[in-house]
Amino acid sequence: RYELVLRLPDGARTPQDLERTLIDTPSGRIPVSSIATVEQNDGPNQIGRENGRRRIVVYANTDGNDMSSIVSNIRSVIGGVTLPAGAFISLEGQFQAQEQAAQLIASLSVLSLLLVFLVLYSRYKSVTLAAIIMANIPLALIGSVVAMWIGDISLSVASMVGFITLAGIATRNGILKVSHYINLCKFEGETFDQAMVVRGSLERLTPVLMTALVAAFALTPLLLSADAPGKEILHPVAVVIFGGLVSSTLLDTLMTPLMYLRFGRKATERLITDQPEESHDVQHAY
């Protein structure tokens, strides 16, 4: 292929002159008017192409509202438009990148939860104990959702990152308590009853509260500076983690001991009998 530009003389650039311009064909020279209609009209000053198709880009910025709702409204309008054959509309830009990132994070979150469950199962050899520990995650999500509703924050990539971080903190609190319950039965001579669970919960209350308070104090500047430059991404993360810490700390203090007392007896007795050395290691670690 060779780039070729044809230009008529300056004095012969009217539509009529272009119609009379002769072109060579296998049948001889013919005027342009015999194969085309020449007219003067308004048109695009540039024609863009992508993958061999013509492409027109329409740019727009939001007015500060939630981007998800704006895109949803645009898609509803596009759905009612009948396009010519071969034409289509695609939404691209920041929202497309955010949507792809959200899908990736959601997939990785599911994989992470599965891996966490496998690690807990390999440690406790019990589906019941692993489920009791991971039950702290939905307890933490309750506070996060409420905090997002109070702060008028929509679900975004930043808030999803906060959910993942919060899941790790909530799981750690459950591990602290369940492991201590097992150690009390194994090394402190406690029997599996309400008194043992109450003792273990009170002895692990201080580490759990310290974790929550330190994290809350660290997140306070981000909570109070939502409109500060550079804090647009960190603020949703702080809101999600802070709200989840509140609900997780309060509900975990009550729900984890109750679930362990109700469902954990058989798993604890089996673990104490089968893994004495591993339980001894955990006693020293905590």
Side-chain angles (χ1 to χ4, degrees):
R1 295 186 179 184
Y2 300 92
E3 294 186 2
L4 182 63
V5 179
L6 300 179
R7 294 174 61 90
L8 295 174
D10 293 340
R13 294 187 180 178
T14 63
Q16 294 76 19
D17 293 327
L18 182 57
E19 288 179 343
R20 292 191 294 266
T21 301
L22 300 177
I23 58 175
D24 294 323
T25 68
S27 302
R29 306 185 72 187
I30 60 174
V32 173
S33 59
S34 63
I35 59 173
T37 301
V38 181
E39 61 181 15
Q40 188 172 356
N41 203 343
D42 294 332
N45 58 1
Q46 181 179 1
I47 298 177
R49 294 181 181 274
E50 183 175 344
N51 297 328
R53 300 179 179 218
R54 288 193 177 188
R55 181 171 184 263
I56 298 178
V57 180
V58 179
Y59 296 95
N61 294 321
T62 66
D63 56 356
N65 293 329
D66 177 26
M67 185 179 295
S68 299
S69 60
I70 294 176
V71 172
S72 177
N73 294 334
I74 294 176
R75 285 175 172 169
S76 62
V77 173
I78 293 176
V81 176
T82 302
L83 299 175
F88 63 92
I89 300 175
S90 63
L91 297 179
E92 302 176 359
Q94 180 181 355
F95 178 79
Q96 182 187 38
Q98 177 178 325
E99 197 173 50
Q100 293 175 350
Q103 294 174 354
L104 177 60
I105 291 178
S107 301
L108 294 178
S109 299
V110 175
L111 178 61
S112 300
L113 292 176
L114 178 61
L115 293 176
V116 169
F117 181 84
L118 293 177
V119 170
L120 292 174
Y121 181 80
S122 66
R123 165 63 185 88
Y124 296 104
K125 298 297 186 295
S126 170
V127 175
T128 301
L129 295 181
I132 291 174
I133 294 174
M134 294 194 68
N136 286 280
I137 296 177
L139 299 181
L141 297 183
I142 294 174
S144 298
V145 173
V146 173
M148 291 177 62
W149 176 71
I150 295 175
D152 195 20
I153 296 176
S154 59
L155 183 64
S156 62
V157 175
S159 59
M160 294 180 69
V161 171
F163 282 124
I164 297 175
T165 305
L166 185 63
I169 298 175
T171 304
R172 173 189 175 275
N173 293 341
I175 294 174
L176 280 175
K177 290 185 177 180
V178 172
S179 294
H180 192 54
Y181 297 150
I182 297 173
N183 291 334
L184 288 177
C185 294
K186 179 63 179 178
F187 300 106
E188 300 292 333
E190 293 281 356
T191 58
F192 192 98
D193 55 14
Q194 181 176 343
M196 181 276 295
V197 174
V198 172
R199 175 188 170 185
S201 300
L202 292 177
E203 291 177 354
R204 283 295 170 259
L205 181 60
T206 299
V208 172
L209 290 178
M210 288 180 61
T211 301
L213 290 176
V214 170
F217 286 141
L219 295 172
T220 300
L222 299 177
L223 292 172
L224 301 179
S225 57
D227 298 330
K231 304 292 180 61
E232 299 86 356
I233 297 179
L234 297 178
H235 177 69
V237 177
V239 171
V240 169
I241 296 178
F242 185 86
L245 285 175
V246 174
S247 66
S248 176
T249 303
L250 296 177
L251 296 177
D252 170 65
T253 303
L254 177 63
M255 297 302 299
T256 299
L258 290 177
M259 290 188 293
Y260 182 80
L261 186 61
R262 176 64 179 84
F263 304 106
R265 177 183 293 273
K266 293 182 179 180
T268 301
E269 293 175 350
R270 183 175 62 252
L271 185 63
I272 292 173
T273 303
D274 297 342
Q275 299 178 343
E277 296 181 359
E278 188 174 356
S279 298
H280 183 66
D281 294 338
V282 175
Q283 170 71 11
H284 284 291
Y286 289 104

